[in-house]
C-alpha cells in the first residue's frame, strides 16, 4: 500500500460509508423517506448535503418511481432509500416496475439490528426474501467491512448486462458501527465482447436473403445506446422499423422508415406487415404477450432473428430461426458489416402505403385525446420528456406523440403500474432540470397525486394533463367489448375538483373541455412556471383503437368499432 492510499483511508460509521460509496459511484441524487432503522444513513446524508442531494417524497413508492424515472431519463442507476418494515415494502411495486422494464436501480433499506432479526421486532420484515423474485440480486450486509464493496457490486450488477434493480439491506447496527473506508474507482458497466460463431453467421445469412425484412426495435436498443446503429441498419436494408412501446424514440417518428408501434394497441399497418414480412429482426425486445398475442400465430410467414443480451429471453415466447446473444449495439455492428441487402424494391413502398391507409382516427367528442397530445407535441421540443401512467391515455400517447429521441418516453411497460407517472416525472425533472410532461388518467392520478407537493417544494416544471372521463377507461373498454357492458367497479365518480386540488398543493390548475381551446390552454400550461394540472375532460366512451383482442394474433386486429 502506498502512502497516498493510506492517507485516503478513514474511519467512518457504516452510514457514512454508505454515503461516501454513493458519492464515489457518481450518485448526485437520492430519493427516499426516512425512518427509525435508516435514520443513521439519513443523518449521514445531512452531513454530506453539499455533495449529494436528497429528495423527500410523500410516499416510498413515489420515491422508488422517481429513482426509476431518473434512471430512464439518464441511463444511470437511480437510487432510493427507505426504512424497514412498511417503508421497505412500500418500495416493492416500484422495484417490480423497474425489474419488468430492465431499469437500473439501487434500493438501500434499513433493517432492525442483527441481534433482533427473526424475533418479529418492531418494523422487521424480510425484505430480501420479499424482493428476491423482482430484483437482479439483493444483499443483506452482516459485516461492516463488506459494506462498501457490497454497494459497489450492487451498482455493477444494476447497470451491466440486462439492467435491473438491486436491493441492499443494511441492519441498523451495521450503520452505527465504525470501520476503515478506502475509496475505490467508480465501477464500470460490464459489456462482454460479441462472440462471432455459427449462430451469428446464420443470422446474417438469413437477413441477407430477406426480400421483405422488418426490424422490431425494443427497449434494449435504448438501454444499450444502439439507436443510431439500428437506424443505419434499417437504411442499409431499406427496411421498415416497428417499435415496442419501450422502444419508441429509438428511431425518429418522422423518419421515412418508421412504421409505428407494434402490439395490442399498435399500428394496424404494423399488424398487416407482420403477416407479409419474410424476416423479422427483433432487437432488444422480449416478445411479451402484449406484442406476440398468440405466440403460435405470430408472424407465421417470417423467419425470426432474435438479438438479446439475456439468454433466458431467446425462444422463451416466440421461437427463433437464428439468434445473436449479446449487446444490441455490437450485434447490429456485426450485421452492418456482414449483411448484403436483397430486399424487394417494392417492399418499403408497400409498407408506406399501409401506413397511409391506417392513420390514427380522431374521436368526434367535444375534446379529442389525440388532439390534446398533438397540441402538446406542437409546443414541445424533440428532447422534451413525456411520462405516462397506465391506461387509455398511455396508449393514445404512444400511438400519437411523435417521439424523435431516445429516453423521451418514460412509461411502465411490463408491470403496467398505475401510479408510476408522477413519481417518474419528478425523477426525470430533477435529472434534466427541464420541464417534463405527464400524461395521466383520472384513475392513475388518484393513486399518485400525493406527490404534487414534492413537485412544488422542489420547484419542478411538471405539466400534468389528466385525461378525465370519471372511469377506469381501459378496463371499461374491455368490459364493453368482451363482458357485455357489465361495468363492474370501473365508474369512478370522483368528486375531485382538479383546479382547487392543484391550488391546495401550491400548483396551478386549469380546465380543458373543447378542441377549440386546446392550443390556448396547452400553451398557457406550458408557459406557466412550476407545476400545472390540466383537467382534460373527455367522453366516457372514448376508445383506444386499433386493438388486437387478448390472446389473438395480428390477423384479428380491430380498427374500428363494429368489426
Amino acid at each position: 500500500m502506498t502512502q497516498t492510499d493510506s492517507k485516503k483511508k478513514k474511519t467512518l460509521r457504516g452510514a457514512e460509508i454508505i454515503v461516501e460509496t454513493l458519492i464515489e459511484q457518481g450518485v448526485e441524487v437520492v430519493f427516499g423517506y426516512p425512518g427509525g432503522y435508516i435514520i443513521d444513513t439519513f443523518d449521514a446524508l445531512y452531513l454530506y448535503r453539499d455533495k449529494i442531494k436528497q429528495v423527500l417524497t410523500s410516499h416510498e413508492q413515489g420515491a422508488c418511481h422517481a429513482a426509476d424515472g431518473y434512471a430512464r431519463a439518464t441511463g444511470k442507476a437511480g437510487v432510493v432509500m427507505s426504512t424497514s418494515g412498511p417503508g421497505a415494502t412500500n418500495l416493492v411495486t416500484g422495484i417490480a416496475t423497474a425489474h419488468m422494464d430492465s431499469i437500473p436501480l439501487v434500493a438501500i433499506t434499513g433493517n432492525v439490528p442483527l441481534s433482533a432479526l427473526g424475533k418479529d421486532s418492531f418494523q422487521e420484515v424480510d425484505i430480501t426474501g420479499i424482493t428476491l423474485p423482482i430484483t437482479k440480486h439483493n444483499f443483506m450486509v452482516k459485516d461492516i467491512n463488506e459494506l462498501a464493496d457490497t454497494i459497489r457490486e450492487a451498482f455493477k450488477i444494476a447497470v451491466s448486462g440486462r439492467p435491473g434493480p438491486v436491493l441492499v439491506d443494511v441492519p441498523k447496527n451495521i450503520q452505527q458501527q465504525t470501520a476503515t473506508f478506502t475509496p475505490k474507482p467508480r465501477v464500470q458497466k460490464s459489456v462482454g465482447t460479441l462472440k462471432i460463431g455459427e449462430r451469428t453467421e446464420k443470422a446474417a445469412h438469413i437477413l441477407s436473403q430477406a426480400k421483405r425484412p422488418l426490424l422490431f426495435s425494443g427497449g434494449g436498443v435504448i438501454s444499450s445506446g444502439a439507436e443510431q446503429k439500428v437506424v443505419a441498419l434499417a437504411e442499409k436494408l431499406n427496411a421498415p422499423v416497428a417499435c415496442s412501446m419501450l422502444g419508441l424514440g429509438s428511431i425518429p417518428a418522422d423518419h421515412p422508415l418508421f412504421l409505428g408501434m407494434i402490439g395490442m394497441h399498435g399500428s394496424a399497418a404494423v399488424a398487416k406487415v407482420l403477416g407479409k414480412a419474410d424476416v423479422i429482426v427483433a432487437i432488444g425486445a422480449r416478445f411479451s404477450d402484449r406484442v406476440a398475442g398468440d405466440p403460435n400465430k405470430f408472424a407465421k410467414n417470417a423467419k425470426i432473428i432474435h438479438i438479446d443480451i439475456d439468454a433466458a429471453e431467446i425462444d422463451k415466447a416466440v421461437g427463433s430461426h437464428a439468434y445473436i446473444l449479446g449487446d444490441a449495439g455490437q450485434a447490429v455492428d456485426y450485421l452492418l458489416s456482414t449483411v448484403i441487402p436483397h430486399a424487394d424494391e417494392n417492399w418499403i413502398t408497400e409498407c408506406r402505403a399501409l401506413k397511409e391507409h391506417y392513420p390514427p382516427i380522431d374521436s368526434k367528442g367535444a375534446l379529442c385525446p389525440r388532439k390534446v397530445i398533438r397540441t402538446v407535441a406542437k409546443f414541445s421540443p424533440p428532447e422534451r420528456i413525456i411520462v405516462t401512467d397506465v391506461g387509455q391515455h398511455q396508449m393514445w400517447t404512444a400511438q400519437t406523440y411523435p417521439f424523435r429521441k431516445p429516453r423521451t418516453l418514460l412509461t411502465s411497460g411490463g408491470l403496467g403500474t398505475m401510479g408510476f407517472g408522477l413519481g417518474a416525472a419528478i425523477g426525470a425533472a430533477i435529472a434534466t432540470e427541464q420541464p417534463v410532461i405527464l400524461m395521466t388518467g383520472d384513475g392513475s392520478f388518484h393513486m399518485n397525486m400525493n406527490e404534487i407537493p414534492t413537485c412544488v417544494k422542489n420547484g419542478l416544471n411538471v405539466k400534468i394533463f389528466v385525461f378525465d372521463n370519471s372511469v377506469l377507461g381501459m378496463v371499461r373498454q374491455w368490459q364493453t367489448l368482451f363482458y357485455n357492458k357489465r361495468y363492474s367497479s370501473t365508474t369512478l365518480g370522483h368528486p375531485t375538483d382538479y383546479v382547487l386540488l392543484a391550488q391546495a398543493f401550491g400548483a396551478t390548475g386549469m380546465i380543458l373541455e373543447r378542441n377549440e381551446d386546446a392550443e390556448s390552454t396547452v400553451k398557457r400550461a406550458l408557459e406557466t412556471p412550476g407545476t400545472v394540472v390540466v383537467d382534460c375532460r373527455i367522453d366516457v366512451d372514448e376508445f383506444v383503437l386499433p386493438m388486437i383482442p387478448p390472446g389473438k394474433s395480428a390477423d384479428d386486429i380491430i380498427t374500428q368499432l363494429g368489426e
Side-chain angles (χ1 to χ4, degrees), residues 345-364:
E345 61 183 17
N346 296 320
W347 171 235
I348 194 63
T349 303
E350 182 180 353
C351 293
R352 287 172 180 158
L354 283 167
K355 184 176 181 179
E356 291 178 7
H357 185 71
Y358 292 104
I361 299 173
D362 284 357
S363 66
K364 293 181 171 57

Side-chain angles (χ1 to χ4, degrees), residues 148-411:
D149 282 343
T150 299
I151 294 172
R152 292 170 184 133
E153 184 67 12
F155 275 89
K156 186 167 186 177
I157 292 170
V159 300
S160 297
R162 179 178 181 172
V166 180
L167 181 137
V168 182
D169 195 34
V170 189
K172 185 176 178 75
N173 64 302
I174 300 296
Q175 297 174 54
Q176 294 177 329
Q177 290 174 8
T178 58
T180 300
F181 173 76
T182 305
K184 292 185 179 180
R186 186 181 305 182
V187 298
Q188 299 299 313
K189 177 179 178 179
S190 176
V191 180
T193 303
L194 185 69
K195 295 179 180 178
I196 307 300
E198 184 177 339
R199 65 170 183 257
T200 49
E201 292 171 352
K202 182 180 179 182
H205 176 71
I206 290 173
L207 190 53
S208 291
Q209 292 182 316
K211 299 295 184 184
R212 300 182 301 281
L214 171 68
L215 301 188
F216 168 22
S217 180
V221 171
I222 294 174
S223 293
S224 68
E227 308 89 11
Q228 292 183 0
K229 295 176 181 181
V230 170
V231 172
L233 181 61
E235 291 173 345
K236 179 175 182 177
L237 298 170
N238 201 25
V241 181
C243 294
S244 71
M245 184 169 63
L246 295 185
L248 290 171
S250 59
I251 178 173
D254 56 359
H255 193 287
L257 293 176
F258 176 63
L259 192 59
M261 185 172 72
I262 192 172
M264 177 178 278
H265 290 291
S267 159
V270 172
K272 301 299 181 184
V273 168
L274 286 174
K276 296 174 179 288
D278 61 356
V279 174
I280 295 174
V281 185
I283 310 169
R286 60 184 179 85
F287 293 107
S288 76
D289 57 300
R290 289 300 171 99
V291 165
D294 182 350
N296 296 317
K297 295 181 180 179
F298 180 79
K300 52 186 177 294
N301 299 318
K303 292 182 178 179
I304 305 294
I305 298 171
H306 195 174
I307 298 171
D308 207 286
I309 202 164
D310 186 352
E313 292 298 340
I314 304 296
D315 298 332
K316 184 176 82 174
V318 172
S320 63
H321 296 76
Y323 66 89
I324 301 176
L325 186 62
D327 174 74
Q330 294 181 11
V332 174
D333 276 340
Y334 170 75
L335 293 178
L336 279 167
S337 66
T338 55
V339 169
I340 302 172
H342 284 99
D344 188 321
E345 61 183 17
N346 296 320
W347 171 235
I348 194 63
T349 303
E350 182 180 353
C351 293
R352 287 172 180 158
L354 283 167
K355 184 176 181 179
E356 291 178 7
H357 185 71
Y358 292 104
I361 299 173
D362 284 357
S363 66
K364 293 181 171 57
L367 182 63
C368 172
R370 294 185 194 278
K371 169 74 172 175
V372 178
I373 294 165
R374 284 198 302 270
T375 306
V376 171
K378 177 179 178 179
F379 294 115
S380 297
E383 63 274 11
R384 175 69 45 82
I385 290 178
I386 308 297
V387 184
T388 82
D389 268 297
V390 172
Q392 287 180 313
H393 68 275
Q394 178 189 34
M395 294 301 118
W396 288 320
T397 302
Q399 293 171 342
T400 309
Y401 197 93
F403 295 100
R404 286 168 282 177
K405 290 183 178 292
R407 301 192 183 279
T408 53
L409 171 60
L410 312 186
T411 190

Side-chain angles (χ1 to χ4, degrees), residues 310-516:
D310 186 352
E313 292 298 340
I314 304 296
D315 298 332
K316 184 176 82 174
V318 172
S320 63
H321 296 76
Y323 66 89
I324 301 176
L325 186 62
D327 174 74
Q330 294 181 11
V332 174
D333 276 340
Y334 170 75
L335 293 178
L336 279 167
S337 66
T338 55
V339 169
I340 302 172
H342 284 99
D344 188 321
E345 61 183 17
N346 296 320
W347 171 235
I348 194 63
T349 303
E350 182 180 353
C351 293
R352 287 172 180 158
L354 283 167
K355 184 176 181 179
E356 291 178 7
H357 185 71
Y358 292 104
I361 299 173
D362 284 357
S363 66
K364 293 181 171 57
L367 182 63
C368 172
R370 294 185 194 278
K371 169 74 172 175
V372 178
I373 294 165
R374 284 198 302 270
T375 306
V376 171
K378 177 179 178 179
F379 294 115
S380 297
E383 63 274 11
R384 175 69 45 82
I385 290 178
I386 308 297
V387 184
T388 82
D389 268 297
V390 172
Q392 287 180 313
H393 68 275
Q394 178 189 34
M395 294 301 118
W396 288 320
T397 302
Q399 293 171 342
T400 309
Y401 197 93
F403 295 100
R404 286 168 282 177
K405 290 183 178 292
R407 301 192 183 279
T408 53
L409 171 60
L410 312 186
T411 190
S412 170
L415 198 64
T417 306
M418 293 176 67
F420 166 82
L422 191 48
I426 288 168
I430 286 174
T432 63
E433 298 182 343
Q434 296 295 319
V436 170
I437 304 292
L438 170 61
M439 306 288 192
T440 185
D442 48 335
S444 288
F445 186 56
H446 275 81
M447 291 187 175
N448 66 10
M449 62 188 181
N450 58 321
E451 296 299 345
I452 294 177
T454 310
C455 296
V456 173
K457 69 186 180 183
N458 284 282
L460 304 181
N461 279 304
V462 177
K463 315 303 181 184
I464 304 165
F465 293 84
V466 183
F467 290 87
D468 175 15
N469 55 9
S470 294
V471 297
L472 291 177
M474 188 63 85
V475 183
R476 190 179 191 276
Q477 177 170 326
W478 281 43
Q479 289 171 334
T480 300
L481 294 174
F482 312 122
Y483 290 86
N484 200 28
K485 299 184 179 181
R486 295 188 295 274
Y487 300 125
S488 175
S489 296
T490 49
T491 301
L492 297 173
H494 293 312
T496 308
D497 184 320
Y498 293 96
V499 173
L500 292 179
L501 175 78
Q503 292 174 357
F505 281 139
T508 302
M510 301 177 184
I511 295 173
L512 175 58
E513 297 181 283
R514 305 185 310 154
N515 289 323
E516 295 85 348

